[in-house]
Amino acid sequence: MELWERSAALDRLDDLLRRAGDGGRVALVSGEAGLGKSAVVGEFARRCGSRARVLWGACDRLVTPRVLGPLRDIGRQTGGALAARLDAGAAPGEVFAAFLDELSGPRQRARPVVVVEDAHWADEATLDWLMFLGRRVDRVAALLVLTYRDDELGPEHPLRGALAALPSRAVDRIALAPLSPETVAEQARRAGRDPVVVHRLTGGNPLLVTELLKTGAAEVPAAVQDLILDRMRALPAAARELAQLVSVVPTRADGALVADAPDPVDEAIAGGVLVPSGDGVAFRHELLRGAVENALSPARRAALHRRVLEVLAGVAGVDPGRLVHHAVNAGDGGAVLRYGRIAGAGAGRQGAHREAAAHYRAAVEHAARLDPPDRAALLEEYAGQAYLAGLHDEGLRARHAALALRESLRQPDLIGENLRWISRLAWWTGDAQLSRQAAGQAVTVAAERGGEQQLATAYGNLAQLSCLTYELDEAVGWGERARAVAERLGDLDTALSATISVETARLALGAPGAREALETAHRTAAAHGLTEHAARALGNIAGVLADELARYSDAVAATEAVGAYAATHNLDGWALYVLGVRSRLRLERAEWDDALTDADEIIARCGGAGINAVLPLAVKGRILAARGHRDAPATLDAGLREALRVNAVQFVAPVADGRSEYFLWAGDPRRAQREALRGLELAATVDGQPFVTGRLAYRYRRAGGTGPLPESIARPYRLMIDGEWRAAAEEWASRGGTYLRAEALAAGDEPAALEALRLYDDLGAAKPADRLRAELRRRGVARVPRGPRRATAAHAAGLTPRQADVLGLLIEGLTNAEIAARLTLSAKTVDHHISAVLAKLGVTSRAQAVAVAHRRNLGGAGRLP
């Protein structure tokens, strides 16, 4: 098989296979559709021969992706324990362990090569498996080859996170490029075609070049998509109809779909339309399949999907997600309802909560066909998966609909359950009033019409809500009542939830042993499969350490722990929360570019609204304000809007902090005082939080406020207020608060202030640096450093200093590894910066970013020479 201009890629794959013996490797083969990713990997697999055992799986372009699709393909290839656990719907951990056992195998077995095609269509569970395998690849001496379309990976595409989590030391990127004009011209001349026309129509895309040169028509078609349609028209009617049927089946058509048409299959293959694939047939590429499918009339397309659905529904072991895909496209509401519930339940069991919610969402559209009890149950299942996937608005709407049905059926226990979930989901969406109202209603319903178990869970919900609003003594009281009843009834779920609320409140109050109790609760919850409780226990440790206790160094490990747990179990809501905590930590630890990367990701994923948006908006607003960016006030305004929807201290305080800072730098100290007082007045209504109160009190005094201050002010802030800068700086250093340490040093003697100034300059924090320079001149300091050139704060694309550096190196053509080495960063951090650059430039690939940089004259905007 001839592959034009792909020998270098094949050589690199061959080299990686050799090196995998000294520690596994990961090859990321990327490029736009039709550049030959599958062809390169297929040729590499052929050349491996007996040297390697190739295990091959693919992701499909379905309405909702198959859960663990490529791993299921591999399971059919290997059989054994892996296939058995997949068929049994075992938990992801058991399936992944079986796969590792399959890779390890006997020593005499050839080296494993694991191929996953089209990873840009992967589901959540598959991405988890890839990260699981990537972290262990060096222990199994395997080569993992992933192909994906890099032009389809937007900044927030989930595959980006999975790729960033792979060990950089083991990853090699093989980016395929279009064919050179010289190669296209040579092949065109051989086929008797006009080289200029061929290159203009194909852009050097190998698939399109091949298809264009294969056409026997005298006239070159106006569009390359017409190639496959011309070939279709040349087929006999039966073969053409069969090819149309195959066109509505992503990836390949099973043998069962074409078993009764052997002659049309042969004719379609002979006519260059289809190729053999496993026990069935397929188009040579998804581009070609899509061209045929898109040419069908809507009625014809729906009819073909109905035929596929009828056949596949009778095939044992077919993934229900595929049946949902064809049912949706066939417009068969009954089938969508039937298979959507099956697929949703299966995806949920395997931890693919986003896919589960998508299947349930499709089923709910046809729920009117169900009796009220079944309809309510479907809505509750949907809401549960939506919550775990972080789709809180969806979950809230589903719970409201379920509540109405349960009320009409007069089922108090299920009415109470839905009210508790409405309370929880309303909080996450930012509706504190509804959250409180539903929580109170749940207690009333349980007390009047429910039993002890319902009352315990209602109490537990109030305990959790009281934690969130800093009513910590109430949280302990409600939690202890809930735990006592739950333990007497043997209700581990409710007892654990109450325990987590109680110990979180105690940790925030500084009680000894609270952190250890939360860690124990995490282990117990994890051991019993209560993943949301397990994540909450770890997440609360991280959040309290970062916010209420200001133990920033300790919070780093805690944040990483809960982030890893949430990612492993596809708890997207908790993953967003953890990113918010991490963005705050990175701000305080003077890791501002990384803080902005985290904040931008959260804001994009939650649409800039709801509870999860508040902290990242506050973090981003503070950094933009410090850097003098024009978007700072709008960002802080958005943060205030979302914070006031909840009107809880833990959300209002960080926004008030940032806004007070901003107005002080803007030369409006009275407004800065009012913003600090906004937070202080709210903080006075809840249990004392010395670090939350202390920060706001410091901002108030810093802006010239002379009114009385609260008693509850944490020691380092009290030191700063009292002018004891050296002791305050030492305290912040011991806590890992690098930026706060700089604030303390700025009030100190000349060497201390100059040290603070250097940090401000390194961060690109122009506003505090300007203020400090002016202060030093007022003090009579003779040599005040001028500071760096202000290219970044006013950067035409709004890039941070580090992002501008990264863009400059992209323009130079450096790889991620080379950028990491030049800037002394990790490969993962470079990936984050590149994602942020692409987002701010409004592009989806490195090449597009470079083109925009040249067009807008953005080169050299960073700090690098």
Side-chain angles (χ1 to χ4, degrees):
M1 176 182 180
E2 183 182 10
L3 293 179
W4 303 319
E5 297 184 353
R6 297 296 182 250
S7 58
L10 288 167
D11 289 345
R12 284 185 66 186
L13 286 170
D14 193 60
D15 180 58
L16 291 175
L17 179 60
R18 286 194 300 270
R19 291 161 60 192
D22 299 324
R25 308 292 305 180
V26 180
L28 304 180
V29 182
S30 63
E32 67 182 32
L35 286 189
K37 300 180 293 296
S38 297
V40 166
V41 177
E43 177 63 10
F44 165 66
R46 186 191 68 78
R47 294 185 183 185
C48 284
S50 60
R51 291 183 301 153
R53 179 184 181 225
V54 181
L55 303 175
W56 202 296
C59 305
D60 302 314
R61 192 174 195 171
L62 299 174
V63 170
T64 300
R66 286 189 300 156
V67 176
L68 292 176
L71 192 51
R72 291 181 186 280
D73 294 341
I74 291 171
R76 283 193 292 272
Q77 182 180 342
T78 63
L82 175 59
R85 291 185 186 178
L86 283 165
D87 290 343
E94 296 179 35
V95 174
F96 298 170
F99 178 75
L100 278 186
D101 291 341
E102 186 66 42
L103 285 192
S104 301
R107 288 194 175 186
Q108 66 271 21
R109 181 179 283 176
R111 184 167 301 152
V113 173
V114 181
V115 177
V116 177
E117 284 197 273
D118 295 322
H120 50 281
W121 291 326
D123 64 286
E124 279 185 294
T126 294
L127 295 177
D128 286 343
W129 166 58
L130 293 177
M131 290 187 284
F132 174 91
L133 179 57
R135 289 193 293 265
R136 294 161 177 79
V137 69
D138 55 349
R139 305 179 204 167
V140 292
L143 173 60
L144 171 61
V145 182
L146 305 182
T147 74
Y148 62 95
R149 298 182 186 176
D150 54 357
D151 60 328
E152 294 193 13
L153 263 60
E156 308 308 324
H157 195 290
L159 180 59
R160 284 194 176 276
L163 297 182
L166 297 174
S168 57
R169 67 185 180 282
V171 173
D172 283 78
R173 297 175 182 269
I174 303 174
L176 302 185
L179 300 176
S180 66
E182 293 76 16
T183 293
V184 173
E186 179 185 352
Q187 300 305 321
R189 281 192 291 269
R190 288 183 182 180
R193 298 289 187 184
D194 184 331
V196 175
V197 172
V198 172
H199 195 272
R200 175 173 57 81
L201 286 173
T202 66
N205 184 295
L207 171 71
L208 302 182
V209 170
T210 300
E211 295 300 317
L212 183 59
L213 298 184
K214 280 169 58 177
T215 182
E219 296 294 327
V220 175
V224 174
Q225 287 81 354
D226 293 336
L227 292 168
I228 189 67
L229 300 180
D230 286 342
R231 205 167 293 157
M232 287 278 292
R233 284 188 282 270
L235 292 176
R240 185 166 59 251
E241 289 178 6
L242 177 121
Q244 290 174 342
L245 177 71
V246 173
S247 77
V248 302
V249 185
T251 307
R252 72 180 183 89
D254 309 65
L257 289 169
V258 297
D260 60 349
D263 292 338
V265 167
D266 291 341
E267 290 167 346
I269 292 173
V273 172
L274 300 179
V275 295
S277 178
D279 66 346
V281 291
F283 285 81
R284 263 198 344 111
H285 197 281
E286 278 290 290
L287 278 177
L288 304 179
R289 183 194 68 77
V292 174
E293 183 183 23
N294 292 336
L296 299 171
S297 70
R300 175 67 172 155
R301 190 181 304 129
L304 292 172
H305 277 291
R306 280 194 292 273
R307 282 179 56 189
V308 173
L309 178 63
E310 290 170 3
V311 174
L312 292 183
V315 176
V318 170
D319 191 311
R322 294 183 64 195
L323 300 178
V324 175
H325 173 83
H326 293 293
V328 168
N329 284 287
D332 187 338
V336 173
L337 184 59
R338 179 166 61 256
Y339 297 120
R341 297 184 74 174
I342 296 171
R349 284 194 301 271
Q350 294 183 310
H353 302 300
R354 189 167 290 272
E355 281 71 31
H359 286 308
Y360 281 126
R361 185 187 308 123
V364 162
E365 291 184 9
H366 306 279
R369 300 165 182 257
L370 297 174
D371 292 335
D374 288 338
R375 196 185 322 153
L378 173 59
L379 287 163
E380 288 158 357
E381 291 163 359
Y382 170 34
Q385 292 300 320
Y387 169 73
L388 292 173
L391 305 172
H392 301 123
D393 286 307
E394 284 189 39
L396 184 58
R397 288 193 296 270
R399 283 288 175 183
H400 274 301
L403 174 63
L405 288 167
R406 296 302 184 188
E407 287 175 333
S408 71
L409 294 167
R410 299 182 180 180
Q411 296 175 309
D413 54 339
L414 296 173
I415 290 171
E417 180 184 355
N418 279 293
L419 284 168
R420 289 191 303 276
W421 274 108
I422 286 171
S423 174
R424 181 73 173 142
L425 286 160
W427 175 266
W428 281 103
T429 61
D431 193 337
Q433 182 177 356
L434 175 60
S435 180
R436 273 289 184 192
Q437 178 185 345
Q441 288 176 330
V443 172
T444 300
V445 169
E448 293 178 354
R449 292 183 283 166
E452 281 193 301
Q453 199 275 337
Q454 288 77 32
L455 197 57
T457 53
Y459 289 158
N461 183 65
L462 274 176
Q464 187 171 357
L465 194 57
S466 298
C467 263
L468 294 168
T469 55
Y470 283 166
E471 297 164 299
L472 302 179
D473 291 335
E474 284 192 34
V476 172
W478 287 117
E480 294 289 12
R481 293 173 72 177
R483 182 163 59 184
V485 176
E487 287 178 347
R488 187 172 69 250
L489 297 175
D491 180 358
L492 178 63
D493 188 322
T494 304
L496 272 174
S497 178
T499 296
I500 293 168
S501 296
V502 168
E503 298 304 334
T504 299
R506 293 183 67 247
L507 180 62
L509 291 168
R515 179 174 181 176
E516 292 74 13
L518 283 170
E519 290 169 344
T520 300
H522 163 74
R523 289 191 293 270
T524 303
H528 287 83
L530 300 171
T531 56
E532 205 270 334
H533 289 334
R536 181 173 163 240
L538 287 183
N540 287 359
I541 292 173
V544 171
L545 290 177
D547 292 325
E548 287 79 13
L549 300 181
R551 289 164 51 185
Y552 304 122
S553 296
D554 293 344
V556 172
T559 302
E560 293 303 321
V562 65
Y565 186 85
T568 299
H569 294 84
N570 293 315
L571 300 172
D572 284 5
W574 277 102
L576 279 180
Y577 168 77
V578 172
L579 274 180
V581 173
R582 192 172 73 177
S583 70
R584 170 69 173 271
L585 278 178
R586 287 175 161 175
L587 182 150
E588 304 294 0
R589 290 169 59 80
E591 300 165 358
W592 281 14
D593 291 340
D594 290 335
L596 279 175
T597 298
D598 286 344
D600 283 336
E601 179 177 349
I602 306 165
I603 293 166
R605 286 171 62 181
C606 68
I611 288 291
N612 280 323
V614 176
L615 196 54
L617 285 169
V619 167
K620 182 175 182 177
R622 284 191 66 192
I623 295 174
L624 294 183
R627 288 175 169 172
H629 196 285
R630 62 181 178 275
D631 290 341
T635 305
L636 289 168
D637 285 348
L640 181 63
R641 181 186 66 244
E642 295 304 315
L644 291 179
R645 288 182 62 198
V646 186
N647 207 33
V649 178
Q650 66 166 305
F651 299 106
V652 173
V655 178
D657 173 29
R659 290 171 66 83
S660 178
E661 216 174 24
Y662 169 78
F663 284 112
L664 181 62
W665 292 331
D668 190 346
R670 290 186 179 278
R671 182 69 182 274
Q673 292 173 37
R674 290 202 303 271
E675 293 294 338
L677 285 173
R678 182 202 303 272
L680 280 172
E681 289 166 359
L682 189 59
T685 66
V686 301
D687 297 335
Q689 286 299 303
F691 281 95
V692 175
T693 303
R695 182 186 288 266
L696 294 166
Y698 169 68
R699 292 288 171 228
Y700 175 65
R701 278 287 190 264
R702 189 88 172 91
T706 58
L709 297 179
E711 291 292 326
S712 179
I713 295 178
R715 180 174 183 271
Y717 286 117
R718 176 62 72 183
L719 292 170
M720 293 170 79
I721 291 169
D722 292 343
E724 298 184 37
W725 62 267
R726 193 185 305 278
E730 290 172 356
E731 179 89 18
W732 289 125
S734 71
R735 293 172 174 274
T738 306
Y739 185 52
L740 284 162
R741 175 176 176 269
E743 286 201 67
L745 290 173
D749 57 20
E750 181 178 335
L754 291 175
E755 184 180 348
L757 187 59
R758 283 192 294 273
L759 178 62
Y760 290 153
D761 287 341
D762 286 344
L763 291 172
K767 290 297 184 179
D770 286 348
R771 189 177 180 86
L772 182 53
R773 283 190 169 86
E775 172 63 23
L776 288 171
R777 292 188 183 104
R778 281 194 295 271
R779 292 189 209 172
V781 175
R783 295 183 178 179
V784 179
R786 289 183 56 192
R789 180 167 56 94
R790 294 291 170 77
T792 306
H795 192 282
L799 303 185
T800 67
R802 186 59 80 196
Q803 289 165 2
D805 291 345
V806 168
L807 177 60
L809 297 178
L810 286 176
I811 293 170
E812 290 184 31
L814 271 63
T815 66
N816 285 29
E818 291 167 338
I819 293 173
R822 178 80 70 87
L823 299 180
T824 320
L825 299 172
S826 71
K828 183 175 181 180
T829 298
V830 170
D831 277 341
H832 285 317
H833 287 320
I834 291 176
S835 296
V837 169
L838 298 183
K840 290 182 178 180
L841 296 183
V843 299
T844 59
S845 71
R846 296 159 61 103
Q848 292 171 344
V850 171
V852 168
H854 285 306
R855 187 167 64 250
R856 296 171 58 183
N857 195 29
L858 300 179
R863 295 170 294 169
L864 293 175

